[in-house]
Amino acid sequence: MTATQDNRRVRIGAGAGYSGDRIEPAVELAEHGALDFLVFECLAERTIAIAQQARRKDPQLGYDPLLAARINAVLPAAIRHGVRIISNMGAANPLAAAQKTAQIARALGLEDVRIAAVTGDDVLDVVLQGDFRFEESGDRVASYKDRIVSANAYLGASAIVDALAAGAQIVLTGRVADPSLFAAPLIHAFGWSMDDWNTLGQATVVGHLLECAGQVTGGYFADPGFKDIPDLARLGFPIGEVGADGSVVVTKVPHAGGRVTEATCKEQLLYEIHDPQRYLQPDVVADFSQVCVAEEAPDRVRVTGGCGTPRTGTLKVSVAYVDGFIGEGQISYGGPGAVARARLALDIVRERLALTGVQTSELRFDLIGVNALHGETAGTRAAEPYEVRARVAGRTATAAQAVLIGNEVETLYTNGPAGGGGVTKSTREVLAVQSILLPREHAKPAFSFVEA
């Protein structure tokens, strides 16, 4: 049977758009979405570096911190309705994530759940031993060697497809390209070839529309009075009804909050796209330039026209490294003259940091609500704010130097100006990320089962 003769539809739900996303919309999808697959996309550029740090402290950690809560909440409904789960919640430790999921399945009384872990994205050893340069700065990676925390390649769909073909009901990965998490179940379900570039290009369109979950159902789209979206407190996450040709209808559970419209889909389609004709992915170079978006009915939008060309010979690798520390302090002023007192507070801290010799490579003095976003040239106000929050933040080479920044803000309590309150201060390590291009043969994706 050819793809054009195949009238099946595969229903994929987006259970998360980032690591800290809400959990109840995913449960709603598992219970009421009539899904075939539920995908949780939970990794950002720095998320996996943070996970690598957690794994260094405890070899049994390094997976998504909400994995247990999500699996506990959604697994009973998913198993009951035959929904297969795919997620990059494995982060820096997919095997440990799979083992934890197996423990949860046993605790829930769910037997014979087939759980697969996809590995191969961790290419730190290859990167440290090679002679690479960062794409962004041109610096030699070797010059950062002592500061590098992690190096993870963006894998494609292949190992997930293999795991699904082997019968996996849950597939947990590390760093996999966001659209590939959604393309994989479609490749598996429809038997697409991994060199069917046009179909894989359209599959990338599907993944890109769904990967950020509530964004395409109106969440990030909402702007009161301009783009009104109903019932955002109960925002539903999207469902993609996908045909054998890769065409998709984006929809949601009928009773869920939010809205799927031509406009919400178009905004998401443009999200993070640089060259719409060459959206570089590990599976394909996708072309979005001929995509058509058409509203069929309320909360039903058909998207077609994605295509593609052969994938490149390299994979993007995100390399995370320690890049100093940030010290920060904030204090609020209210009432008449609040802005003048806050400006005086910033002047005092500026002078104190110079007097005490705090060494910074970057330093900011902001009045939140006045100049923190757009600077002093943003225009004048009709009336001066009645309350303002002063913030000082600086980057330092050591944690000890960073602590001094927040401390100086705190001393404004008693050392003036008048009326300061609500001080907060913090010190945190900076994880910066740059990328390299790695010949794809150096990444070796694979999967293994952990039986529940």
Side-chain angles (χ1 to χ4, degrees):
M1 180 179 290
T2 66
T4 55
Q5 295 171 321
D6 189 342
N7 294 320
R8 289 177 297 153
R9 309 290 290 178
V10 172
R11 286 173 65 90
I12 303 179
Y18 78 103
S19 178
D21 215 340
R22 296 173 187 167
I23 295 176
E24 64 268 24
V27 179
E28 182 176 60
L29 286 175
E31 287 281 13
H32 305 292
L35 301 181
D36 299 292
F37 300 93
L38 179 58
V39 178
F40 295 86
E41 196 293 290
C42 295
L43 281 184
E45 294 284 344
R46 288 175 176 81
T47 316
I48 198 162
I50 295 169
Q52 291 282 14
Q53 288 183 316
R55 185 180 183 181
R56 287 183 178 187
K57 294 176 182 177
D58 184 342
Q60 295 305 309
L61 297 179
Y63 50 81
D64 188 277
L66 287 181
L67 177 132
R70 284 200 172 98
I71 295 297
N72 264 302
V74 80
L75 189 58
I79 296 298
R80 187 165 60 250
H81 295 291
V83 181
R84 299 168 84 173
I85 294 171
I86 300 167
S87 180
N88 54 16
M89 283 191 286
N93 204 343
L95 285 169
Q99 291 162 356
K100 182 65 176 179
T101 300
Q103 293 173 9
I104 293 169
R106 287 194 295 269
L108 292 171
L110 301 172
E111 303 295 334
D112 303 321
V113 180
R114 303 206 74 198
I115 304 163
V118 171
T119 55
D121 64 298
D122 189 335
V123 292
L124 180 60
D125 290 343
V126 175
V127 170
L128 291 178
Q129 293 168 12
D131 184 16
F132 300 99
R133 289 187 179 272
F134 287 123
E135 292 294 306
E136 294 83 358
S137 66
D139 294 343
R140 292 185 67 243
V141 176
S143 66
Y144 289 65
K145 186 173 182 179
D146 294 336
R147 295 189 284 148
I148 290 176
V149 173
S150 63
N152 292 85
Y154 282 74
L155 302 181
S158 61
I160 304 174
V161 174
D162 293 343
L164 293 172
Q169 295 164 277
I170 302 172
V171 183
L172 296 170
T173 79
R175 180 74 274 180
V176 169
D178 300 352
S180 298
L181 295 169
F182 296 85
L186 300 176
I187 295 166
H188 165 70
F190 293 118
W192 294 336
S193 170
M194 291 299 294
D195 61 0
D196 183 352
W197 307 120
N198 283 330
T199 304
L200 292 181
Q202 175 61 25
T204 301
V205 171
V206 175
H208 187 69
L209 287 168
L210 299 179
E211 67 187 42
C212 294
Q215 287 191 183
V216 80
T217 50
Y220 195 74
F221 175 89
D223 190 359
F226 299 95
K227 298 181 295 182
D228 292 310
I229 298 294
D231 207 9
L232 281 171
R234 295 175 179 81
L235 183 69
F237 287 175
I239 299 168
E241 297 179 357
V242 188
D245 60 353
S247 63
V248 61
V249 173
V250 182
T251 186
K252 66 179 183 66
V253 174
H255 61 262
R259 183 169 290 163
V260 180
T261 69
E262 185 176 328
T264 68
C265 290
K266 285 181 176 179
E267 281 202 9
Q268 177 59 27
L269 192 69
L270 295 172
Y271 175 71
E272 292 185 338
I273 296 295
H274 296 279
D275 182 350
Q277 291 185 305
R278 286 185 58 78
Y279 185 38
L280 302 178
Q281 294 294 307
D283 300 310
V284 64
V285 177
D287 183 351
F288 287 12
S289 63
Q290 303 302 311
V291 168
C292 295
V293 180
E295 199 163 329
E296 291 188 335
D299 293 320
R300 292 185 62 82
V301 177
R302 180 174 292 276
V303 183
T304 58
C307 56
T309 54
R311 68 189 190 183
T312 67
T314 57
L315 297 173
K316 177 183 175 180
V317 175
S318 286
V319 181
Y321 56 93
V322 176
D323 197 24
F325 297 82
I326 288 180
E328 182 175 349
Q330 297 185 22
I331 187 169
S332 294
Y333 295 90
V339 172
R341 284 180 284 124
R343 288 188 187 279
L344 176 56
L346 294 181
D347 289 343
I348 292 168
V349 174
R350 184 183 286 108
E351 187 171 354
R352 287 289 306 165
L353 294 177
L355 286 171
T356 57
V358 176
Q359 300 295 311
T360 62
S361 56
E362 296 178 62
L363 195 54
R364 289 184 61 102
F365 298 88
D366 298 320
L367 299 180
I368 298 173
V370 176
N371 63 12
L373 291 179
H374 301 289
E376 297 290 357
T377 61
T380 58
R381 295 170 174 267
E384 185 175 279
Y386 199 70
E387 58 186 53
V388 66
R389 190 155 178 84
R391 174 179 61 194
V392 182
R395 185 193 295 265
T396 65
T398 67
Q401 289 279 293
V403 167
L404 298 176
I405 296 172
N407 288 352
E408 284 296 344
V409 173
E410 184 181 55
T411 64
L412 296 171
Y413 263 141
T414 56
N415 292 285
V423 169
T424 60
K425 59 180 183 177
S426 64
T427 301
R428 65 185 185 276
E429 188 177 58
V430 178
L431 286 177
V433 176
Q434 293 194 66
S435 59
I436 66 168
L437 296 178
L438 181 74
R440 62 172 61 238
E441 61 267 19
H442 290 301
K444 303 185 185 303
F447 76 92
S448 57
F449 279 107
V450 175
E451 300 295 344

